[in-house]
Amino acid sequence: MQRLYDFLRRHPTGVDVFWAVVLLGLSGMSMASGMYAAGREEILAVPVAFGLSTVVALRRRVPERMLLLAIAVGLCQLLFDVRPGIGNFAMLVITFTVATIGERWASRLALVCSLSAAALSQLRWEAEPGGSWPQMIFVTVVMTVPFVLAWVMGDSLRTRRAYFSQLEERAARLEREREAQSKVAVAAERARIARELHDVVAHNVSVMVVQADGAAYVLDAAPDQARQALETISSTGRQALAEMRRLLGVLRTGDTRESGEYVPQPDVEQIEELVEQVRQTGLAVDFKVEGTARPLPSGVELTAYRIVQEALTNTRKHGGPDAGASVRLVYFDDGLGLLVEDDGRGAAHELYEDGGADGAGHGMIGMRERVGMVGGTLDAGPRPGGGFRISALLPLKPAE
């Protein structure tokens, strides 16, 4: 049964042609039964029947034209005195069709014709010759109701289809917006992971490279210093692996737990350990904390740590062999201030231009994105007389 229904839906014109043939056959039977008087009326009834059957056959292909054809056939019936027959059922069908899928002007025209067809028919052919006016009005109303109902049903179906079409369009639009939001979220998460990886790799690997070079240089002359450098390389490598394991755990499971191990994110208290680690690489760093320490949101803590980490990494990369740096953490009433400076002794000025020596500048981009995410401000640029300064102000909020 479902296959038959699907076949009929795929071939609407074939269905209409079938019913048009049925209607034409019924009209022929009416003419054969002597419904029309012999003579001109019987002759004209034949083209009228063919015209009304054509209206049914092509009603869904060209509804507006079929409405005009039905009106023309009806006017011919009025002019040439061809009484309505079973074929005039096509006028009900075309009224419903135009109200459903036709143009708006055609729908309004069909409504006007529906309201006037019964009255014109009564004026041309009285149902009971010699009947009173109340009887004529009653018959007119009874004959008008089916046409009005056909138009109302068609217009209601049009409205319902338009409503469902809007719902489908809205659902499709929401689905597209959802996909777009998902892509934006994925891109943001990838950018966050990229920043984390950059900070971890750039800092820890640069420390390991410096310590490895130092160990190779003093391996024969000072074995103890070489051993200490190797221990620093080992501890730095473990720290880098732990942080990368945490990031990979986020990528795989959406959590910071991987194989039962929990690796906390860096915070402000670990900045002193970071500075001490950098000092072991040979870079002189002055570290001070001003103001009263207080709990900070985790995002602010991580941002502060990463800014100091990236700034000191850039100092080791671009500051020159004799560079010195200073780190200041200042707790204000409404914010945490960060100031990281280096004197840049022995470094060419080009190393401090936008993007650094390699023209990439991903570290600075990452710092600005981090500060922007917590609602802070960042000022970075060369210092007068040489070196580089990074100043950031991060808003303080009560820790939840």
Side-chain angles (χ1 to χ4, degrees):
M1 193 65 184
Q2 183 64 32
R3 291 182 179 179
L4 177 61
Y5 180 70
D6 293 338
F7 175 81
L8 296 179
R9 290 190 62 182
R10 291 195 302 268
H11 303 85
T13 304
V15 176
D16 293 339
V17 170
F18 170 78
W19 288 114
V21 172
V22 172
L23 186 62
L24 182 62
L26 294 175
S27 299
M29 293 172 60
S30 299
M31 288 185 287
S33 64
M35 175 181 177
Y36 299 101
R40 185 181 64 176
E41 183 180 359
E42 186 177 19
I43 296 174
L44 293 177
V46 175
V48 168
F50 275 101
L52 294 175
S53 298
T54 303
V55 169
V56 175
L58 301 179
R59 65 185 184 92
R60 277 187 277 198
R61 294 184 66 89
V62 281
E64 294 83 6
R65 296 182 182 180
M66 291 303 101
L67 174 64
L68 297 178
L69 177 59
I71 294 174
V73 171
L75 292 177
C76 290
Q77 288 183 266
L78 291 174
L79 292 176
F80 298 105
D81 194 20
V82 181
R83 297 179 66 87
I86 193 171
N88 289 95
F89 180 78
M91 295 183 176
L92 277 174
V93 176
I94 193 60
T95 298
F96 171 81
T97 304
V98 170
T100 304
I101 62 175
E103 299 289 340
R104 277 298 181 183
W105 65 266
S107 177
R108 297 189 183 98
L109 179 59
L111 178 60
V112 172
C113 294
S114 299
L115 295 174
S116 58
L120 293 175
S121 178
Q122 278 294 298
L123 291 175
R124 188 68 173 87
W125 305 285
E126 294 183 17
E128 294 183 5
S132 62
W133 281 103
Q135 291 177 341
M136 294 179 61
I137 294 175
F138 177 75
V139 173
T140 301
V141 172
V142 171
M143 294 177 62
T144 303
V145 168
F147 285 93
V148 176
L149 287 178
W151 185 89
V152 171
M153 291 176 61
D155 190 70
S156 299
L157 184 57
R158 175 202 291 269
T159 303
R160 190 173 182 181
R161 287 179 177 176
Y163 174 71
F164 283 121
S165 178
Q166 290 179 356
L167 289 181
E168 292 177 356
E169 181 182 357
R170 181 181 180 186
R173 185 174 65 253
L174 291 176
E175 184 67 23
R176 291 193 298 270
E177 291 177 356
R178 225 176 0 251
E179 292 179 359
Q181 291 175 357
S182 299
K183 292 180 180 180
V184 171
V186 170
E189 184 66 13
R190 288 178 177 175
R192 186 185 71 83
I193 298 299
R195 288 194 300 268
E196 291 287 330
L197 287 174
H198 173 273
D199 293 338
V200 171
V201 173
H203 172 74
N204 291 292
V205 172
S206 63
V207 170
M208 294 169 66
V209 169
V210 171
Q211 292 292 336
D213 291 341
Y217 182 75
V218 299
L219 181 60
D220 297 330
D224 293 338
Q225 294 183 13
R227 185 180 301 106
Q228 183 179 1
L230 292 176
E231 291 176 354
T232 301
I233 293 174
S234 177
S235 61
T236 303
R238 290 192 183 95
Q239 180 181 356
L241 287 175
E243 293 196 38
M244 293 184 69
R245 187 180 298 114
R246 174 178 62 83
L247 293 177
L248 293 176
V250 172
L251 289 175
R252 291 173 181 170
T253 65
D255 197 0
T256 54
R257 296 184 181 273
E258 177 71 17
S259 301
E261 181 179 358
Y262 179 74
V263 183
Q265 290 184 337
D267 54 22
V268 173
E269 294 181 356
Q270 297 182 26
I271 292 181
E272 187 173 1
E273 299 178 6
L274 173 66
V275 171
E276 184 61 30
Q277 184 185 55
V278 173
R279 286 171 179 167
Q280 295 177 4
T281 65
L283 178 65
V285 182
D286 182 27
F287 176 67
K288 289 185 179 180
V289 179
E290 301 177 7
T292 304
R294 68 197 72 180
L296 302 175
S298 59
V300 174
E301 298 240 2
L302 179 61
T303 299
Y305 182 90
R306 293 305 188 196
I307 289 176
V308 175
Q309 184 184 54
E310 178 65 25
L312 294 179
T313 300
N314 289 340
T315 298
R316 286 200 309 271
K317 291 171 61 178
H318 308 309
D322 299 324
S326 64
V327 178
R328 297 288 185 274
L329 267 67
V330 183
Y331 286 90
F332 297 106
D333 294 336
D334 58 350
L336 174 66
L338 289 174
L339 180 62
V340 184
E341 295 180 302
D342 67 71
D343 50 28
R345 291 194 297 268
H349 178 72
E350 293 77 9
L351 295 176
Y352 287 104
E353 292 180 350
D354 293 341
D358 55 358
H362 296 300
M364 293 300 302
I365 295 175
M367 278 194 285
R368 294 188 186 279
E369 290 179 350
R370 289 184 183 277
V371 173
M373 288 175 63
V374 298
T377 58
L378 178 71
D379 182 24
R383 292 177 55 201
F388 203 78
R389 174 189 291 119
I390 296 177
S391 175
L393 180 60
L394 309 178
L396 284 182
K397 298 180 181 178
E400 297 182 1

